[in-house]
Amino acid sequence: MKVKPHRPSTGEYENGQPAPNLLVYLLWLLVHKLVTIVEQLMQSLRQPFFSKRIRIKAHQYAEHQQQQQLPAPASKLSKVPKHLVVLLGPEPPLYRQLAQFIFWSLAAEIEYVSFYDHNGTIKRNCEEVKRCVREAPVEGKDRIVWLERSGGGSEADAGPRQPVGSGRTVVVGFLSPEDGKQGLVSLSRSIGESVRRRDLYAADVSIELLDSRLQAALGAVPDPDLALYFGDVCSTYGLLPWQIRLTEFLPLGTRLRDSTEREFVRCLHRYAKCEQRLGT
């Protein structure tokens, strides 16, 4: 029997491909693990710091800006949205932070503000937002009109009755998925029943009719001009599919808790520079 002579290892497989160096692999694995631990540690240390800074900033804003004056650049805007929607994704709502958007919108002379999340949490707990507004040590809260919907109609909440959209009032509403696709389905069924009963002719069904019916169901609130979302993912989450065909979607920071009036003004400036050609 012929014995094959032993050859020293050359770090290659029999097919000629280089074999992985186990030591290098372990070193890279160790470095990756250390970097991951350091990043998690820095994030855990940075989060409470930024949260505390935002709370202090919001408190100073409410305490020292009682007339709710936004930074000077906001006064130089060529246009402001008439209807602003604050859109939440998977993150839980922070009601005190959401209340800040009402004050900022009032200062920027935005007439309508709506809050939406795809779970309907904000709409179910809208009293929490109202409580945060009542407890805020600021003036001008009598110019906030709460929009309540009941049976497709609307009425202002208890408090000073003011003309909707008149002067420097801001009308605040709460939206959920039932106001979007579900509302559109319900309206379609209602129109179909009217046609079947001959209360409405099929020739009378038009885009203008749908627009007027949907707007009446939402309390005569105009279609959104600007929607602000958080994070890197731009998704409507089912927000009013019929009414957002001309809505501008802009990101406002990574998380709701980190939003500031400076970022808010920056988004208003970006919106003011948008030019809608409407297909022309």
Side-chain angles (χ1 to χ4, degrees):
M1 183 179 65
K2 182 182 294 186
V3 178
K4 190 175 182 180
H6 172 72
R7 291 186 302 175
S9 176
T10 60
E12 295 183 352
Y13 291 116
E14 292 184 358
N15 57 7
Q17 295 182 353
N21 192 317
L22 182 59
L23 180 58
V24 174
Y25 174 77
L26 291 177
L27 286 176
W28 275 112
L29 187 63
L30 179 60
V31 170
H32 180 270
K33 189 66 176 178
L34 288 175
V35 171
T36 303
I37 294 174
V38 171
E39 286 183 348
Q40 292 176 350
L41 181 61
M42 293 297 294
Q43 184 177 3
S44 63
L45 292 176
R46 187 166 56 240
Q47 180 174 348
F49 170 75
F50 281 126
S51 299
K52 182 178 180 181
R53 188 181 67 176
I54 291 298
R55 288 195 299 270
I56 293 176
K57 196 173 185 65
H59 176 72
Q60 291 174 345
Y61 178 84
E63 183 177 2
H64 299 293
Q65 303 288 338
Q66 292 193 355
Q67 299 301 323
Q68 289 304 313
Q69 297 290 333
L70 281 178
S75 61
K76 301 178 181 178
L77 295 173
S78 59
K79 66 176 181 178
V80 295
K82 188 172 184 179
H83 183 188
L84 167 70
V85 175
V86 179
L87 175 64
L88 283 189
E91 64 176 312
L94 301 175
Y95 300 106
R96 194 170 301 278
Q97 193 68 18
L98 292 176
Q100 291 295 321
F101 283 91
I102 300 176
F103 298 131
W104 297 341
S105 299
L106 183 62
E109 299 185 2
I110 297 174
E111 297 183 31
Y112 299 88
V113 178
S114 299
F115 298 99
Y116 175 88
D117 72 292
H118 65 289
N119 293 320
T121 305
I122 301 178
K123 187 174 183 178
R124 289 194 302 269
N125 300 315
C126 61
E127 293 299 326
E128 289 295 320
V129 179
K130 298 178 183 180
R131 178 184 61 80
C132 292
V133 169
R134 288 194 301 267
E135 294 177 354
V138 296
E139 296 179 354
K141 289 183 286 188
D142 57 333
R143 292 185 278 124
I144 299 174
V145 180
W146 302 103
L147 191 64
E148 300 290 342
R149 300 188 187 92
S150 171
S154 67
E155 60 180 4
D157 194 10
R161 301 280 177 163
Q162 302 191 24
V164 173
S166 174
R168 290 190 60 185
T169 60
V170 58
V171 181
V172 183
F174 303 93
L175 300 172
S176 66
E178 65 183 12
D179 300 308
K181 292 182 180 179
Q182 298 177 23
L184 192 58
V185 170
S186 299
L187 177 60
S188 301
R189 290 176 178 173
S190 175
I191 293 178
E193 288 293 326
S194 298
V195 173
R196 187 180 63 83
R197 295 193 306 266
R198 297 188 177 181
D199 296 334
L200 183 69
Y201 293 103
D204 297 331
V205 179
S206 62
I207 294 179
E208 290 75 15
L209 176 66
L210 290 175
D211 274 334
S212 61
R213 294 283 183 90
L214 287 172
Q215 196 172 63
L218 293 177
V221 175
D223 294 346
D225 302 299
L226 174 62
L228 299 179
Y229 65 92
F230 305 91
D232 300 326
V233 178
C234 179
S235 174
T236 65
Y237 294 101
L239 168 69
L240 304 177
W242 181 272
Q243 293 92 336
I244 60 173
R245 56 191 181 276
L246 299 177
T247 304
E248 292 288 340
F249 285 79
L250 296 178
L252 180 66
T254 306
R255 298 175 301 178
L256 171 63
R257 68 172 67 249
D258 297 330
S259 57
T260 64
E261 68 271 15
R262 185 181 298 274
E263 290 294 318
F264 181 76
V265 172
R266 182 184 61 82
C267 287
L268 293 183
H269 275 277
R270 287 187 60 186
Y271 171 78
K273 295 178 181 179
C274 292
E275 182 181 356
Q276 292 183 331
R277 301 178 183 273
L278 304 180
T280 59

